Amino acid sequence: MRALILAGGTGTRFWPLSRRQRPKQLLELEGDRSLLRRTRDRILPLVEPEGIWVVTTRLLADSVRRELPEVPSSQVLAEPEGRNTAPAIAWAVASMPPDVRNEAVIVLPADHRVEEPEAFRRGVAVAVEEAERKDRVLTLGITPRRPDTGYGYLELGELVDRGRNVVAVERFTEKPDVETAERFVRSGRYLWNAGIFVFRGETLLRLVDEHLPGLARGLRSLEESPDRLEELYRRLPRVSIDYGIMEQLDSIATVPLECGWSDLGTWEALAEVLEGSPGQGASRGETVTVDSRGNLLWAERGTVAVLGVENLVVVHAGDATLVVPRNRSQEVRRIVSELEREGRTDLL
Amino acid sequence: MRALILAGGTGTRFWPLSRRQRPKQLLELEGDRSLLRRTRDRILPLVEPEGIWVVTTRLLADSVRRELPEVPSSQVLAEPEGRNTAPAIAWAVASMPPDVRNEAVIVLPADHRVEEPEAFRRGVAVAVEEAERKDRVLTLGITPRRPDTGYGYLELGELVDRGRNVVAVERFTEKPDVETAERFVRSGRYLWNAGIFVFRGETLLRLVDEHLPGLARGLRSLEESPDRLEELYRRLPRVSIDYGIMEQLDSIATVPLECGWSDLGTWEALAEVLEGSPGQGASRGETVTVDSRGNLLWAERGTVAVLGVENLVVVHAGDATLVVPRNRSQEVRRIVSELEREGRTDLL
């Protein structure tokens, strides 16, 4: 099998730690390996380094190559600019040699977390076998741990293969409201959509022809005039693989997984991962805490000191300091937008 | 008249902006002049620069001289170490030439705020005249604006001079509890003790002889062996002028003042001064505020960004960041103590 790692994200949600030049996938949010490096380590028992492709943006390509020196440099593909996931994936698959495209490829974001990589790999192996044997598209589904409104959900249909726990997907539902999410979780018939897909390369290219003809034409132009990449890539339609292809398919299946998966979408999600017990808080770097509880304190350099505060995220990174309540950390983009509006590119 | 500015304070309450080498009196907490410079400017219409003495510590003497270049360098006295206010004042007065000691001197801390310097100077002029005419000790008393438990109070006695609003002080009360403070303020018979005194120099030295014989002996040793300053100064008794002398006097008077005085004792007190209307909050330096209210944001360099928080003090200065609720900012010393305990002298 092969792997395609999506490493082009801009990751503003971890500002001020994440910046344009150093988005989330390049951060060492846990321990001393970046999320990208951890993603590569997670699949390494299944895929040789020569079997790994990475698609990222031109801005990040050098950093990505430094982070993954074992991956052949020519397999780190640099988009002239990000055009969402469908163009990135289709372009990368089209760039693979024909014999490679004939095999199963797992497509996975570079900035997720998996607590139990063994369980993750067992699920991937099932999906790969199913993708190759039946030439179908598989998506990894995560047994939901709470009614999270930040994730998409997969509605489960019939069991496709009891022995190997492969289940048909009836429907994709984008981020639901709280009541819907609670109903989904109670029903036991829904999984979180982890955005991790397995398919044969040729299958994906056929689905692009079928569902995204504009993208297919763009890819053919790129193939005919590789020297015009800069110009042609920027004309590809901006569309996600979920919306553009996966949600359009009649016959997609999932492998339900329990592997401590998280997309680490917010400082709050990171706090939950880092703290020893719920609400206890966590810290990184030099910190001083007096009469305070449940905070995520992050000092990239210097010292962060708090007194008498609870459930805050306090981050000092680069030349910026952020303070936000944990339960509002999903709104950090609003600060980034404000900085963009003010032209403070030095802080982005 | 002459002035003696007390500029030896260590000022930990504005950490991380204030540090050992740069305590509160050297900070530009309002506008672009340090509190020390503002103190000097405030009295300048009453006192020539040649009539100003400053007592500070050896650690700060160079900074103080740079800040007050008009004051003769020999009149900036550097204590080998701080021994509280009574030794500092007595030593400074004893260092003045005999003809100067015969005149009135106003002793005032370098780190207070006065919103209406004209009103302040009118009160000082009254106190100076009374000190010279009747050879008595005057303290400036501030009409209390709220039942503050952080100040000492003066209980008023008989009116000494109706025409010039000089009132006898019956009693000093150190920081009272809330109920007592409320009773004091309601009664209308109490003023805040601003720690600003006026007396003839010779009078002060006589009172030291009388009430602090140990200090008097120490000063005589110093006069006899000025080359042993280092050794002898460190042996002077640690005692405040309030406790050691003022509270011991039967006959002390005050000039009640309304001049927008504050000792700026906490970040909260500073916030109240800087904000346009109560609870509105204030900021200094580069800040970004989204859906937040009533915060004091202070970015010495870099940018401080907040989202969804209220009534916090957020300060980034030097290599440290502080977050504390406004109403607990008087506890910042606890963080400084923690840093001392951990030997983090780089942050002190």
Side-chain angles (χ1 to χ4, degrees):
Chain A
M1 66 171 288
R2 314 296 162 128
L4 171 57
I5 299 177
L6 306 177
T10 54
T12 56
R13 288 179 291 184
F14 283 87
W15 187 90
L17 193 62
S18 63
R19 304 291 175 101
R20 282 181 179 164
Q21 300 270 2
R22 191 184 61 170
K24 182 183 157 202
Q25 60 271 28
L26 296 174
L27 299 179
E28 293 162 9
L29 293 182
E30 260 190 291
D32 57 359
R33 287 175 297 149
S34 69
L35 294 177
L36 170 61
R37 185 81 187 160
R38 285 175 174 272
T39 301
R40 169 260 186 204
D41 290 350
R42 189 178 308 133
I43 55 171
L44 212 52
L46 299 174
V47 191
E48 296 288 308
E50 294 73 25
I52 297 177
W53 271 256
V54 186
V55 59
T56 185
T57 58
R58 196 165 283 172
L59 183 67
L60 304 175
D62 287 346
S63 302
V64 167
R65 289 192 180 106
R66 268 195 302 274
E67 201 62 14
L68 303 178
E70 311 83 353
V71 173
S73 179
S74 63
Q75 288 172 210
V76 175
L77 305 173
E79 300 173 278
E81 70 173 19
R83 306 292 296 169
N84 210 332
T85 48
I89 293 168
W91 178 55
V93 169
S95 308
M96 294 172 178
D99 61 314
V100 169
R101 292 205 302 252
N102 218 28
E103 293 183 31
V105 56
I106 175 170
V107 176
L108 70 175
D111 59 353
H112 289 178
R113 173 180 196 261
V114 169
E115 200 173 311
E116 300 165 50
E118 280 286 355
F120 175 81
R121 286 190 290 267
R122 279 196 301 273
V124 170
V126 170
V128 166
E129 199 186 329
E130 183 76 9
E132 291 191 332
R133 210 158 56 106
K134 301 201 188 150
D135 195 14
R136 74 192 304 175
V137 176
L138 278 289
T139 173
L140 298 192
I142 308 295
T143 309
R145 296 187 299 274
R146 59 177 177 273
D148 200 302
T149 58
Y151 293 138
Y153 285 75
L154 310 170
E155 184 182 352
L156 297 180
E158 287 185 358
L159 197 60
V160 171
D161 185 330
R162 181 175 299 273
R164 289 180 302 121
N165 199 22
V166 179
V167 190
V169 173
E170 286 288 308
R171 197 178 291 111
F172 284 74
T173 305
E174 277 305 297
K175 302 174 181 179
D177 58 31
V178 181
E179 291 74 27
T180 310
E182 283 172 350
R183 187 163 50 78
F184 283 2
V185 174
R186 264 201 312 275
S187 76
R189 291 193 304 114
Y190 289 81
L191 300 178
W192 288 339
N193 177 13
I196 301 172
F197 303 100
V198 181
F199 42 67
R200 287 178 52 253
E202 292 296 354
T203 307
L204 187 273
L205 294 178
R206 197 189 70 232
L207 292 170
V208 169
D209 278 338
E210 197 172 322
H211 296 282
L212 295 171
L215 175 57
R217 276 195 301 277
L219 290 177
R220 277 192 294 275
S221 309
L222 273 173
E223 199 175 2
E224 287 157 15
S225 315
D227 51 319
R228 292 171 61 209
L229 173 67
E230 180 77 28
E231 169 202 351
L232 295 173
Y233 200 90
R234 290 171 192 274
R235 291 197 215 154
L236 297 181
R238 282 185 192 275
V239 57
S240 75
I241 190 88
D242 300 73
Y243 176 78
I245 296 182
M246 300 303 158
E247 299 181 17
Q248 316 301 326
L249 302 182
D250 290 330
S251 151
I252 184 167
T254 183
V255 178
L257 265 178
E258 288 186 58
C259 60
W261 173 90
S262 162
D263 76 349
L264 286 183
T266 59
W267 283 111
E268 166 66 354
L270 179 63
E272 284 174 357
V273 159
L274 296 180
E275 66 194 354
S277 59
Q280 184 187 36
S283 68
R284 173 78 77 93
E286 296 287 339
T287 59
V288 180
T289 301
V290 178
D291 201 12
S292 299
R293 255 181 310 280
N295 304 287
L296 176 61
L297 309 181
W298 196 287
E300 192 186 35
R301 35 184 199 76
T303 295
V304 165
V306 298
L307 186 151
V309 297
E310 290 186 12
N311 302 321
L312 288 183
V313 174
V314 181
V315 182
H316 181 74
D319 218 10
T321 303
L322 167 72
V323 181
V324 60
R326 279 176 62 157
N327 64 7
R328 294 190 66 180
S329 64
Q330 76 278 12
E331 297 176 49
V332 166
R333 287 166 184 275
R334 294 174 67 187
I335 288 177
V336 176
S337 301
E338 181 64 24
L339 291 170
E340 283 168 349
R341 207 182 56 74
E342 293 175 8
R344 297 294 310 275
T345 45
D346 55 315
L347 290 175
L348 296 173
Chain B
M1 67 170 288
R2 315 295 161 127
L4 171 58
I5 299 176
L6 306 177
T10 55
T12 56
R13 287 180 293 184
F14 283 87
W15 188 90
L17 193 61
S18 63
R19 305 290 177 101
R20 282 181 179 166
Q21 299 270 359
R22 190 183 63 169
K24 183 183 158 202
Q25 60 271 27
L26 295 174
L27 300 178
E28 293 162 10
L29 292 182
E30 259 191 292
D32 57 0
R33 287 175 297 148
S34 69
L35 293 178
L36 171 61
R37 185 81 186 159
R38 285 176 174 272
T39 302
R40 170 261 187 204
D41 292 351
R42 189 178 306 133
I43 55 171
L44 212 53
L46 298 174
V47 190
E48 296 288 311
E50 294 75 24
I52 297 177
W53 270 255
V54 186
V55 59
T56 185
T57 58
R58 197 166 281 173
L59 183 67
L60 305 174
D62 287 346
S63 302
V64 166
R65 289 193 179 104
R66 269 196 302 276
E67 201 62 15
L68 303 178
E70 311 83 354
V71 172
S73 179
S74 64
Q75 290 172 207
V76 175
L77 306 173
E79 300 173 278
E81 71 173 17
R83 306 292 297 172
N84 211 331
T85 48
I89 294 168
W91 178 54
V93 168
S95 308
M96 295 174 177
D99 61 315
V100 169
R101 292 203 304 251
N102 218 28
E103 294 182 32
V105 55
I106 175 171
V107 176
L108 72 177
D111 60 354
H112 289 177
R113 174 182 194 258
V114 169
E115 201 173 313
E116 301 165 49
E118 280 286 355
F120 175 79
R121 286 189 290 268
R122 280 196 300 274
V124 170
V126 170
V128 165
E129 199 186 329
E130 183 76 8
E132 291 192 331
R133 210 159 56 105
K134 300 202 189 151
D135 195 15
R136 73 191 303 174
V137 175
L138 279 288
T139 173
L140 298 191
I142 308 296
T143 309
R145 296 188 300 275
R146 58 178 179 273
D148 200 303
T149 56
Y151 293 138
Y153 285 74
L154 310 170
E155 184 182 352
L156 298 179
E158 288 186 359
L159 198 60
V160 171
D161 183 330
R162 182 175 298 271
R164 290 179 302 120
N165 199 22
V166 179
V167 191
V169 173
E170 285 288 308
R171 197 176 293 111
F172 283 74
T173 305
E174 277 305 298
K175 303 174 180 179
D177 59 30
V178 181
E179 291 73 28
T180 309
E182 283 172 351
R183 188 162 51 77
F184 284 1
V185 173
R186 265 200 312 275
S187 75
R189 291 193 304 116
Y190 288 81
L191 301 178
W192 288 339
N193 177 13
I196 302 172
F197 302 101
V198 181
F199 43 66
R200 287 177 54 250
E202 293 296 353
T203 306
L204 187 275
L205 294 180
R206 198 189 69 230
L207 293 170
V208 170
D209 277 338
E210 197 171 323
H211 296 282
L212 296 170
L215 176 55
R217 276 194 301 278
L219 291 177
R220 277 193 294 275
S221 309
L222 273 174
E223 201 176 2
E224 286 158 16
S225 316
D227 51 317
R228 292 170 62 207
L229 174 68
E230 182 76 28
E231 169 202 349
L232 296 174
Y233 200 91
R234 290 173 192 273
R235 291 196 215 154
L236 298 182
R238 282 187 194 274
V239 58
S240 75
I241 189 89
D242 299 73
Y243 176 77
I245 296 182
M246 299 305 158
E247 298 181 18
Q248 316 301 328
L249 302 182
D250 289 329
S251 152
I252 184 167
T254 183
V255 178
L257 266 178
E258 289 187 56
C259 60
W261 173 89
S262 162
D263 77 349
L264 287 181
T266 60
W267 283 109
E268 166 66 354
L270 179 63
E272 284 175 357
V273 159
L274 295 180
E275 67 193 353
S277 57
Q280 185 187 35
S283 69
R284 173 77 77 91
E286 297 288 339
T287 59
V288 179
T289 301
V290 178
D291 201 10
S292 298
R293 257 181 309 279
N295 303 289
L296 176 61
L297 309 180
W298 195 287
E300 192 185 37
R301 32 185 202 75
T303 295
V304 165
V306 298
L307 186 151
V309 297
E310 291 187 11
N311 302 322
L312 288 183
V313 175
V314 181
V315 182
H316 181 73
D319 219 9
T321 303
L322 167 72
V323 181
V324 61
R326 279 175 63 156
N327 64 8
R328 294 189 66 178
S329 63
Q330 76 279 10
E331 298 176 49
V332 166
R333 288 165 183 277
R334 295 174 65 185
I335 288 177
V336 175
S337 300
E338 182 64 23
L339 292 170
E340 283 169 349
R341 208 182 56 75
E342 293 175 7
R344 296 294 310 273
T345 45
D346 55 315
L347 291 174
L348 297 173

